[in-house]
Amino acid sequence: MKLVIEAVGLRSGGAKVLVANLISALTEFTNCELVAVLPDLPETASISRKNLKILTFGKPTGLIGRHRFLNATIPDLCSSEKADALLCLGNFGPLKPPCPLVIMLQNAYVLYREAMAEREQTLRSRAVLAYARWFYRHLPAQAHIVVQTEVMSKRLVSRYAVAPERVHVIPTLQFMPATDSKPFVTDSDTSPPVFKFLCLAAYCHHKNPRVILEALKILHRYTHKKALCLITISAETCSQSRRFLDRIQEEGLSHLMPNLGPVPWADLARVYKSADALILPTLLEARTFTYEEAMHFGLPILTSDRDFARECCGRAAMYFDPLSPSSVARAMAKIMDESNLRDELVREGRLLLKQ
């Protein structure tokens, strides 16, 4: 069997790890010949297997370039390689695939309507989302879809009337780092010691870190204890991330939201061990490893009262309304003041991980 894998758009950290792990696993099937279409990144050169052929491409220019790549270049490649199947890992596939097609859907915006998250999107992002919603309403007859959670599967079936037998739930597993690292931030770094929340997320519209800042401003209404929230945002991500970090500086609130910047996987343990609890006010998710990582490191979890969060966390989290700073602040105060609640959430998290 010959399988073509299209992954040109997967260029960031987590996506690159997914591609590398998947290709490594597939090459173990010696009766399967792989043709991997990958981004022209340094890491690509290190992937080498007997039954693997790698073709590298630069990022297609603009939306029209991406459309042509998927609907002309990839079908032509499949035909020339005499492919038996095509796997597309970037949410889309050709409208007229020349062979059976599997698409991995990771863009949660396709399945959710969140006005707050969509409000800050760029014109390009809105155009991509509009095309995505059109594409899934006109899904090619021979296409099957892979998602990572049951919530995503149910939403895809109900929203786009996709036959359930064409949707496959295949969760990606996360390799947990060791827990014996020293923390980045210790009690001696804050005077007096304060309760440290951690929001481990890049700046994206749907990650919603703004509500944490507003909650921290009013936290004194619900508890006399002091708190801060460690964030991991790069100013280089987008103009919105720069504006958010500038706002924190301009309002003189850096002591409430210290920014550690982007965290390499090797430093993940040190960051988790710097915190007393994880807080994630995200508005929508396809899949995030952050919940399981927090459970692994014994952190209680506060997160959005949303279907994706409840599927992942169950009883191992305390839930709040991510659009309400007062709801977030009350949840933060409750976690800070009730050690028994923290212990219970940690126990539930460890039980969930074992399952």
Side-chain angles (χ1 to χ4, degrees):
M1 176 181 178
K2 180 176 279 192
L3 173 65
V4 172
I5 303 172
E6 187 279 314
V8 167
L10 279 67
R11 312 176 75 89
S12 62
K16 289 188 292 186
V17 171
L18 183 149
V19 172
N21 289 344
L22 177 60
I23 290 176
S24 177
L26 285 171
T27 53
E28 294 180 10
F29 293 89
T30 54
N31 61 340
C32 182
E33 187 178 348
L34 304 180
V35 179
V37 184
L38 304 179
D40 54 349
L41 298 173
E43 297 91 329
T44 304
S46 64
I47 304 174
S48 177
R49 300 289 191 281
K50 276 186 176 182
N51 56 339
L52 172 65
K53 176 181 179 180
I54 292 180
L55 303 175
T56 58
F57 287 81
K59 190 174 183 179
T61 305
L63 299 182
I64 294 176
R66 174 67 173 163
H67 181 78
R68 286 175 178 165
F69 181 79
L70 270 179
N71 289 282
T73 305
I74 292 299
D76 288 347
L77 175 64
C78 289
S79 297
S80 64
E81 291 287 345
K82 297 181 173 56
D84 296 297
L86 168 64
L87 170 61
C88 291
L89 298 176
N91 301 303
F92 304 112
L95 289 168
K96 296 181 179 179
C99 56
L101 168 66
V102 176
I103 302 170
M104 186 168 186
L105 173 59
Q106 304 181 74
N107 186 344
Y109 281 91
V110 177
L111 303 178
Y112 286 82
R113 288 281 187 181
E114 282 283 355
M116 182 68 73
E118 294 182 25
R119 186 181 304 164
E120 290 191 9
Q121 285 191 312
T122 63
L123 185 60
R124 184 185 187 281
S125 296
R126 293 183 184 189
V128 171
L129 181 56
Y131 176 79
R133 289 170 175 167
W134 179 88
F135 176 83
Y136 280 93
R137 284 194 297 270
H138 300 83
L139 199 63
Q142 65 269 55
H144 284 241
I145 311 299
V146 169
V147 294
Q148 297 190 64
T149 65
E150 291 291 344
V151 163
M152 289 280 283
S153 173
K154 291 174 184 175
R155 284 182 170 270
L156 181 61
V157 169
S158 63
R159 181 163 185 175
Y160 296 101
V162 179
E165 60 269 21
R166 298 172 65 191
V167 183
H168 310 271
V169 179
I170 306 176
T172 302
L173 298 179
Q174 170 70 316
F175 295 97
M176 297 296 178
T179 59
D180 56 355
S181 301
K182 293 182 179 179
F184 271 132
V185 181
T186 65
D187 286 339
S188 62
D189 296 327
T190 58
S191 182
V194 299
F195 193 95
K196 293 180 283 295
F197 292 94
L198 169 66
C199 181
L200 185 66
Y203 189 95
C204 300
H205 315 297
H206 63 278
K207 295 295 186 182
N208 193 31
R210 303 171 299 279
V211 76
I212 301 177
L213 182 60
E214 298 306 317
L216 285 167
K217 291 179 185 178
I218 61 174
L219 187 60
H220 64 275
R221 300 178 188 174
Y222 307 103
T223 180
H224 68 277
K225 295 180 180 178
K226 302 296 182 182
L228 58 80
C229 182
L230 303 168
I231 56 175
T232 57
I233 295 174
S234 169
E236 308 304 317
T237 300
C238 59
S239 58
Q240 289 93 341
S241 66
R242 288 192 295 274
R243 284 200 294 269
F244 180 66
L245 294 176
D246 288 344
R247 176 187 165 193
I248 293 172
Q249 292 283 347
E250 290 163 4
E251 295 185 17
L253 300 175
S254 299
H255 64 291
L256 291 182
M257 294 191 84
N259 185 24
L260 303 179
V263 180
W265 194 87
D267 291 332
L268 210 54
R270 296 184 63 195
V271 172
Y272 276 109
K273 295 193 75 172
S274 300
D276 299 302
L278 175 80
I279 183 167
L280 201 62
T282 178
L283 300 175
L284 50 93
E285 293 289 342
R287 177 81 164 93
T288 175
F289 293 124
T290 314
Y291 294 133
E292 287 96 331
E293 289 168 352
M295 296 173 196
H296 175 68
F297 286 102
L299 294 187
I301 298 170
L302 293 82
T303 192
S304 307
D305 191 2
R306 293 289 192 269
D307 55 1
F308 58 84
R310 287 191 175 273
E311 179 181 354
C312 289
C313 299
R315 298 193 302 175
M318 183 177 182
Y319 300 97
F320 53 68
D321 177 358
L323 301 180
S324 168
S326 60
S327 176
V328 176
R330 285 194 298 269
M332 294 171 77
K334 192 172 181 67
I335 282 287
M336 293 166 64
D337 291 338
E338 299 185 19
S339 60
N340 288 342
L341 174 60
R342 296 197 300 271
D343 293 342
E344 180 183 347
L345 294 178
V346 170
R347 280 196 300 271
E348 291 290 344
R350 286 176 172 154
L351 286 173
L352 198 57
L353 273 188
K354 288 180 181 178
Q355 295 173 16

